[in-house]
Amino acid sequence: MAYLYLKSIHIIFVVSWMAGLFYIVRLFIYHVEANERPESERLTLQAQFEIMQHKLWYIITTPAMALSVLAGIGMIWVNPNLLNMSWMLVKLAFVVGLLIYHFMCQQIMNKLKQGVFTWTSTQLRLWNELATIFLVAIVFTVILKSAVDWIYGLTGLIIFSAVIMSAVKIYKYYRLKGK
């Protein structure tokens, strides 16, 4: 019974964590694009984006990440046999990637706050899709478990990634064409 409570908590906070990751990068994009505005508007927008980013990151995204990880550890603690399953090891590898992504987003946020703009809005749009790729990989790994053929799964993930990256490029083309 404890396992199911932990699993429920894990799912709830993974959803919150992913929502935060998706939205924070959108805020980064808007923050960077504010550089194209007149100075008074740019300063106002960037100050507002910094407030929004800070609150989103420290009130929602990072606590949700911590609770997701703690609930996941709790599930493994209650059922250590999970670590004997190959799908779980693959999922944990993707989760490590997602954690690295999380902390890289924090670095981007800190640089933006300092006025250091090393990413373009297009690069950030592509970066935002990486979280989607992690989400898809984790969900398919968990749902399909041992039924998944890893070669087909990896091929599908690569194709999915290519489609998403192409969609970002197509969006950029039409966005710039409309200006």
Side-chain angles (χ1 to χ4, degrees):
M1 188 62 108
Y3 179 82
L4 294 178
Y5 282 107
L6 288 167
K7 188 175 186 179
S8 297
I9 291 166
H10 182 67
I11 292 169
I12 290 165
F13 286 106
V14 165
V15 170
S16 300
W17 181 23
M18 293 306 302
L21 287 175
F22 291 142
Y23 191 49
I24 195 77
V25 180
R26 292 304 309 168
L27 290 175
F28 296 163
I29 292 165
Y30 302 145
H31 196 143
V32 167
E33 288 179 347
N35 282 325
E36 300 167 9
R37 303 287 188 190
E39 185 178 3
S40 63
E41 189 178 346
R42 175 181 57 83
L43 294 173
T44 301
L45 286 170
Q46 289 181 339
Q48 184 60 42
F49 291 137
E50 286 175 22
I51 292 167
M52 294 169 70
Q53 290 164 10
H54 183 86
K55 288 182 178 183
L56 174 64
W57 196 253
Y58 292 106
I59 297 173
I60 297 170
T61 310
T62 298
M65 178 271 301
L67 291 168
S68 297
V69 170
L70 289 173
I73 290 169
M75 288 167 37
I76 292 170
W77 181 267
V78 170
N79 184 3
N81 287 329
L82 289 169
L83 292 175
N84 296 328
M85 300 176 190
S86 61
W87 68 267
M88 178 57 78
L89 300 177
V90 172
K91 176 199 173 186
L92 291 174
F94 285 129
V95 169
V96 167
L98 191 59
L99 286 165
I100 292 168
Y101 178 91
H102 176 98
F103 290 108
M104 287 181 74
C105 284
Q106 186 168 346
Q107 289 177 341
I108 293 168
M109 183 180 71
N110 291 337
K111 284 185 178 185
L112 290 174
K113 187 176 182 179
Q114 296 168 359
V116 177
F117 298 88
T118 56
W119 295 65
T120 66
S121 63
T122 300
Q123 290 170 327
L124 287 167
R125 281 182 171 83
L126 291 169
W127 178 251
N128 199 30
E129 299 310 325
L130 185 56
T132 304
I133 293 165
F134 278 122
L135 176 63
V136 168
I138 291 167
V139 169
F140 271 90
T141 301
V142 171
I143 299 300
L144 297 176
K145 293 184 174 58
S146 61
V148 71
D149 180 338
W150 295 109
I151 294 172
Y152 289 127
L154 183 59
T155 302
L157 186 61
I158 291 168
I159 291 169
F160 177 74
S161 300
V163 167
I164 284 186
M165 298 305 171
S166 297
V168 169
K169 292 291 187 178
I170 291 167
Y171 171 76
K172 178 184 178 186
Y173 170 79
Y174 283 107
R175 187 171 60 89
L176 293 177
K177 186 178 175 184
K179 284 188 174 183

